[in-house]
Amino acid sequence: MKKTFLALVLAVVMALSVVGGAFAEEGAAIKIGLIGPMTGENASYGTSAAQGAQIAVEEVNALGGVQIELNVQDDQSDAETSINAYNALWDWGAQMIIGTVTTGPCIAVGAEAYNDRMFMLTPSASSADVIADKDNVYQLCFTDPAQGTASAQYIAENGLATAIAVIYNNGDTYSTGIYQTFEAEAANLGLNIVSVTTFTNDTTDFSVQLTEAREAGADLVFLPIYYTPASMILQQAANMDYAPTFFGVDGMDGILGIEGFDTSLAEGVMLLTPFSADAEDELTVNFVAKYQEAYGATPDQFAADGYDCVYALYEAINNAGITAETSTEDACEMLIAAMQELEITGLTGTMTWDETGAVTKTPTAVRIENGVYVGFNAGSAEAEPAAE
């Protein structure tokens, strides 16, 4: 199954990059670029977002009316490569961008797009720095402050821990931002943080961090990190017979798809995410079925984010009256105005946007059981506007 999935991933990425909107008549479509990691250690995020977006594009084009041509560019989750991808899309004639998928590249590309007046809607770059002081960059995901706050609230409301350890990446804006708001809210709620340790992007041995957490008596370890280091932490914790509750955030989504990873190590892991594939509403059921048929896998939150990005832009395009002939600069100003009037219900919740580009919606908590996500209500925490 994994080999088949990876083959399909590569096939669809090639098709998207080369063919783009083959289903739209040449010259008659709105040109949308998508930037994210299609290769490298974060490739799961980018390919999922691209695949979810592709399903939405096919649905939109089947409706008639506004047609969309999609061009996907690989940035390998690297800022310099992402700027090169952005320049390629500008030369192609992109009128707007879905992206970028990860935070560092999104900050870099956002600065270029701000100067050029290219509208951007990122599916998953959640740092407040992504949208700060840039009126043309909007987020579909809830922000890092919301994730840290909502995680602390959920842990407190459900009595999940008596002693908490935190392990975060101090070289990563995403991880650091979530930790900081988690720590602040934990203090407000009286949660007992007994250990805080850090690591860098090059770290592969987490024995020091895990030993400190265990010796401090932590019965829950909060991991505001991406799935690759999380998988190492789970493996090393099992090797040392340390079995606290592990609680993560949306960057951990995708851990079950890591090739060679023993998914039993993730049993009982909890995380906040805007999407749960086991939800029973009609929109989710239909999307999951289409995704599984197309790609042979269950969609994660990044796939849902990509899907919702297309529909948010589609509604805003229609409301603003943007056409294939609208210039990139004019489309930018029209989308800024239209997004602030928009309310849509998608796979990742009911969403509205303010003038900062921040989204308001409610995160969902899921738990991994028998190798799948099982969703349940995460309370009423809403995404907060980005800090200036």
Side-chain angles (χ1 to χ4, degrees), residues 226-252:
Y226 292 122
Y227 63 79
T228 298
S231 68
M232 299 178 193
I233 288 172
L234 294 179
Q235 178 65 69
Q236 292 170 30
N239 291 344
M240 57 192 291
D241 295 321
Y242 179 41
T245 297
F246 287 99
F247 195 106
V249 288
D250 64 357
M252 198 183 291

Side-chain angles (χ1 to χ4, degrees), residues 261-286:
F261 177 68
D262 180 0
T263 58
S264 69
L265 296 171
E267 187 71 11
V269 168
M270 303 176 70
L271 62 147
L272 287 187
T273 174
F275 171 75
S276 176
D278 73 331
E280 297 179 353
D281 62 282
E282 183 178 2
L283 182 62
T284 299
V285 170
N286 289 339

Side-chain angles (χ1 to χ4, degrees), residues 45-46 57 79 100 114 132 193 211 221 225 293-294 307 316 326 351 356 373:
Y45 301 142
V57 167
T100 67
Y114 176 77
I193 297 179
T211 297
V221 177
I225 60 177
E293 180 180 0
Y307 182 93
T326 305
M351 292 162 275
T356 72
Y373 296 133

